[in-house]
Amino acid sequence: MADGYNLCIAVIGSGTIGLSFAALHLSHPSKNIKVIIYDPRPDLNEYIESTLPGYLNATSPSLSSLRASNRLVLSSSLVSAVESADVVQEQGPENVSFKQSLWPQIEAAASPSALFWSSTSGIPASIQGANMQAPYRLLIVHPFNPPHIMPVLEIVPPDQHASKAYIDKTVSYWRTLNRNPVILKEEITGFVANRLSFALFREAIHLVNQGVVTAEEVDRIVEESMGPRWAVKGPFWSYHAGGGEKGLSGFLDKIGETVQACWDDAGTPELRDGEDGKEAAWRKALGEQVEGAYGVLQERDLRERDEKTRSVLEITRGD
Amino acid sequence: MADGYNLCIAVIGSGTIGLSFAALHLSHPSKNIKVIIYDPRPDLNEYIESTLPGYLNATSPSLSSLRASNRLVLSSSLVSAVESADVVQEQGPENVSFKQSLWPQIEAAASPSALFWSSTSGIPASIQGANMQAPYRLLIVHPFNPPHIMPVLEIVPPDQHASKAYIDKTVSYWRTLNRNPVILKEEITGFVANRLSFALFREAIHLVNQGVVTAEEVDRIVEESMGPRWAVKGPFWSYHAGGGEKGLSGFLDKIGETVQACWDDAGTPELRDGEDGKEAAWRKALGEQVEGAYGVLQERDLRERDEKTRSVLEITRGD
């Protein structure tokens, strides 16, 4: 509680995820969330002035008004950013030793009741918090990019030290922002959303690599079949529906043989170098194909994608 | 060309795919497509009267008016259904010997210039057409269910006999219905859309089976991350965007290690029976979990899904 605001959130790191989360907190319906953005970059002020407005929604106060009312504060000092915070949300470099050295500094400077969240895309809380006094305070809050638009958040507590009270407080806050936190029961590699996405991506790479379809054709197929289907109803619901009265079991009875045949025939491209030390040949060819199809994407392409995504979610969630 | 209509399509089989395709043809903007539904079931008349209206769109003429004007004809004779047809579209039982015996009958009765399409979810054209005189006439036109809503169609010609003229005519017709036909370059098991979908489904089963998340949580995660993302932009575009200026290659440079770690750790549940001859234990548990979460889905659940899907596609395709 600072400056009369209900909650103060220190956002550590101002890359695209940090900016997106900052904008999301500032959009809180209570208008009573203070955000401190910490980043050691020397041009922090100019950088935030030029980038953050792109993330704020249309009804948000202007950046200058947010700053004048201290609802948004920029800081180049980690200690002063976190000492008054109720929540510290980290999105620094994806590097184990960086995070293991950062968290004890945050823990030493922050209030004993502050919540600690990491947006890491892959480093589990139990590893990040190895040097903390109270590692149970640290939770992964993993977004799907960009978090100011995508509702789901994967909450992954450290396997050995989960604290129900910290998880409950975290979940409550996100629900007030109309987000959908899902608590994973295990600290699994890559968490859930990326594992699912990468499984499809792997098969997509294989099919392009085999010459069955182009990368652009894969995108068209997905955009006009699974994408809209799964935006409305996820895979289990959908296959449950596909089985009629017998549900998912009926579906597996009916076309399980085809499913198994596809699994047996699925490709296994590798990203690691081959035994000869060479990069996999498909990487270069695929990169060139995608570059040829789409060119270098511009800011406006991403904005258009984000606007459409927002409209889709209004339909599917009734937002 | 029959009865003054521009094109006559014989729909062989009146299951959900057949009805959905019939409704789609009847929605053609030219209002000039005649549809003959063939099915040997004795209650064909009552069955179509009670089911087809659920597939017709709001602006369609009534069933009785479609029938009175001969725009829709029901037939229990295969020969009379196909003899005047410009297109024969088959969605009979998923059974090789059934299809291998059906196509020569159709070929013998139909006009020499008629197009032949199969909606099979897995039996390649070169196998179905093994007993045909002119197997190059047969194309797989594989929809994503339900085809009166989902725009994409996978066109899969027989590997050895593809005829460009037949493919071109087929593609042209579907484009007049604002569909998006994608021509596969190989008769691959399961075609493309299902292979991609089943790859994600496999990993989803694994994660539920491991107890990391419930089936319902998987659905929520997908509905609020990949689903809306891929409805707007497919996986290659999305990861290309994720790599910034360096595109897909930059994305793979940046988080390829996490991608590979997820691939290495991916699960491989099997649908076939184990070496002990027993059904995999996860099938029963998963079926019960999904049944417990969603119950038996009703007609209105599917209609609601279809209406939302239609609205999503209006946004993503600008329909």
Side-chain angles (χ1 to χ4, degrees):
Chain A
M1 199 119 36
D3 307 348
Y5 288 101
N6 264 348
L7 195 82
C8 173
I9 302 181
V11 171
I12 307 303
S14 64
T16 54
I17 301 286
L19 293 175
S20 174
F21 268 129
L24 178 60
H25 298 309
L26 290 167
S27 78
H28 196 282
S30 74
K31 304 183 197 309
N32 219 338
I33 308 291
K34 174 175 175 167
V35 172
I36 302 173
I37 299 178
Y38 161 77
D39 199 304
R41 60 188 296 163
D43 62 344
L44 181 61
N45 199 54
E46 298 72 27
Y47 169 73
I48 294 293
E49 292 284 344
S50 69
T51 53
L52 189 59
Y55 293 84
L56 295 173
N57 65 29
T59 60
S60 169
S62 69
L63 196 56
S64 55
S65 135
L66 289 167
R67 293 190 66 180
S69 59
N70 265 344
R71 220 166 118 193
L72 173 64
V73 170
L74 309 185
S75 172
S76 57
S77 152
L78 182 66
V79 170
S80 69
V82 306
E83 64 188 359
S84 64
D86 304 293
V87 178
V88 179
Q89 183 172 31
E90 177 272 338
Q91 34 275 312
E94 257 330 63
N95 177 301
V96 171
S97 59
F98 171 84
K99 289 187 201 281
Q100 285 185 340
S101 115
L102 178 71
W103 283 114
Q105 296 175 57
I106 291 174
E107 191 179 34
S111 145
S113 63
L115 301 175
F116 297 154
W117 299 339
S118 169
S119 306
T120 177
S121 57
I123 307 173
S126 57
I127 291 178
Q128 291 193 41
N131 303 325
M132 290 173 75
Q133 299 292 319
Y136 55 82
R137 295 173 68 180
L138 180 57
L139 299 176
I140 306 302
V141 177
H142 180 240
F144 201 84
N145 201 21
H148 68 297
I149 295 186
M150 287 296 184
V152 87
L153 294 165
E154 297 181 81
I155 313 289
V156 199
D159 258 350
Q160 307 304 320
H161 314 281
S163 153
K164 188 172 180 317
Y166 283 90
I167 296 171
D168 288 349
K169 277 191 206 174
T170 297
V171 166
S172 292
Y173 172 72
W174 289 110
R175 291 218 171 114
T176 64
L177 267 169
N178 198 20
R179 299 290 114 171
N180 202 346
V182 175
I183 304 161
L184 307 200
K185 285 163 212 82
E186 203 183 298
E187 280 193 306
I188 195 166
T189 306
F191 316 132
V192 169
N194 278 338
R195 286 177 74 106
L196 296 173
S197 180
F198 294 158
L200 182 143
F201 185 47
R202 187 183 211 180
E203 183 62 8
I205 290 169
H206 169 66
L207 294 171
V208 173
N209 195 21
Q210 291 293 104
V212 178
V213 271
T214 66
E216 207 176 355
E217 286 168 338
V218 165
D219 281 349
R220 283 165 58 201
I221 289 173
V222 173
E223 287 160 18
E224 304 202 336
S225 59
M226 281 146 280
R229 164 63 68 249
W230 290 341
V232 175
K233 288 291 179 188
F236 285 112
W237 195 101
S238 298
Y239 289 137
H240 187 53
E245 280 188 13
K246 291 176 70 191
L248 187 68
S249 298
F251 171 80
L252 294 176
D253 289 345
K254 204 163 58 175
I255 72 147
E257 214 172 302
T258 303
V259 175
Q260 183 70 53
C262 289
W263 288 353
D264 289 343
D265 198 47
T268 54
E270 298 254 327
L271 273 158
R272 61 169 74 84
D273 297 338
E275 284 178 14
D276 55 3
K278 281 196 192 147
E279 184 182 83
W282 64 261
R283 283 192 59 162
K284 192 161 179 287
L286 180 66
E288 286 170 0
Q289 189 186 129
V290 170
E291 184 81 26
Y294 299 128
V296 176
L297 297 177
Q298 305 298 317
E299 201 55 27
R300 66 169 179 280
D301 298 314
L302 304 187
R303 294 275 165 262
E304 191 187 328
R305 175 199 67 180
D306 290 350
E307 283 315 306
K308 284 189 178 176
T309 306
R310 211 191 280 275
S311 302
V312 167
L313 287 164
E314 281 169 14
I315 289 165
T316 56
R317 305 183 88 212
D319 280 358
Chain B
M1 199 119 36
D3 307 348
Y5 289 100
N6 264 348
L7 194 82
C8 173
I9 302 181
V11 171
I12 306 302
S14 65
T16 54
I17 302 285
L19 292 175
S20 175
F21 268 130
L24 178 60
H25 298 308
L26 290 167
S27 79
H28 196 282
S30 75
K31 304 183 198 308
N32 219 339
I33 308 293
K34 172 175 177 167
V35 172
I36 302 174
I37 299 179
Y38 161 76
D39 200 303
R41 60 187 296 162
D43 62 345
L44 181 62
N45 198 54
E46 299 71 26
Y47 169 73
I48 295 294
E49 290 284 342
S50 69
T51 54
L52 189 61
Y55 293 84
L56 295 172
N57 66 28
T59 60
S60 170
S62 68
L63 196 55
S64 55
S65 135
L66 289 168
R67 294 189 66 181
S69 59
N70 266 343
R71 218 166 120 193
L72 174 64
V73 170
L74 308 185
S75 172
S76 56
S77 152
L78 182 65
V79 169
S80 70
V82 307
E83 65 187 1
S84 63
D86 303 294
V87 179
V88 180
Q89 184 173 30
E90 176 273 337
Q91 35 274 311
E94 256 332 61
N95 178 300
V96 171
S97 59
F98 171 84
K99 289 186 199 284
Q100 286 185 340
S101 116
L102 178 71
W103 283 115
Q105 296 175 58
I106 292 174
E107 192 179 33
S111 144
S113 63
L115 301 175
F116 297 153
W117 300 338
S118 169
S119 306
T120 178
S121 58
I123 307 172
S126 57
I127 292 178
Q128 289 193 42
N131 302 326
M132 290 172 73
Q133 301 291 319
Y136 54 82
R137 294 174 68 180
L138 179 56
L139 298 176
I140 306 302
V141 177
H142 180 241
F144 200 83
N145 201 21
H148 68 297
I149 295 185
M150 287 297 186
V152 86
L153 294 165
E154 298 181 79
I155 311 290
V156 199
D159 257 351
Q160 306 304 322
H161 314 280
S163 152
K164 190 172 179 312
Y166 284 91
I167 296 172
D168 289 349
K169 278 192 205 174
T170 298
V171 166
S172 292
Y173 172 72
W174 289 111
R175 291 219 171 114
T176 64
L177 268 170
N178 197 20
R179 300 288 115 171
N180 202 345
V182 174
I183 304 161
L184 307 200
K185 284 162 213 82
E186 203 182 299
E187 280 193 306
I188 196 167
T189 305
F191 316 132
V192 169
N194 278 338
R195 287 177 73 106
L196 296 174
S197 180
F198 294 159
L200 182 142
F201 185 47
R202 186 183 211 180
E203 183 62 9
I205 290 169
H206 169 67
L207 293 172
V208 172
N209 196 21
Q210 292 293 106
V212 178
V213 270
T214 65
E216 208 176 353
E217 285 168 340
V218 165
D219 281 349
R220 283 164 59 201
I221 289 172
V222 173
E223 286 160 18
E224 303 202 337
S225 58
M226 281 145 279
R229 163 64 67 249
W230 291 341
V232 175
K233 288 292 178 187
F236 285 112
W237 195 102
S238 297
Y239 289 135
H240 188 53
E245 279 187 14
K246 291 175 69 191
L248 187 69
S249 298
F251 170 80
L252 294 176
D253 289 344
K254 204 162 59 175
I255 72 148
E257 213 171 304
T258 304
V259 175
Q260 183 70 54
C262 290
W263 289 353
D264 289 343
D265 198 46
T268 54
E270 298 254 326
L271 273 158
R272 61 169 74 86
D273 297 338
E275 285 178 14
D276 55 4
K278 282 195 193 150
E279 184 183 82
W282 64 260
R283 281 192 60 162
K284 193 161 178 286
L286 180 66
E288 287 169 0
Q289 190 187 128
V290 171
E291 183 80 28
Y294 300 128
V296 177
L297 297 177
Q298 305 298 318
E299 202 53 30
R300 65 167 181 280
D301 298 314
L302 304 188
R303 292 277 165 260
E304 191 187 328
R305 176 200 67 180
D306 289 349
E307 282 316 305
K308 283 189 179 175
T309 306
R310 209 190 281 275
S311 302
V312 167
L313 287 164
E314 280 169 14
I315 289 166
T316 56
R317 306 183 88 212
D319 279 357

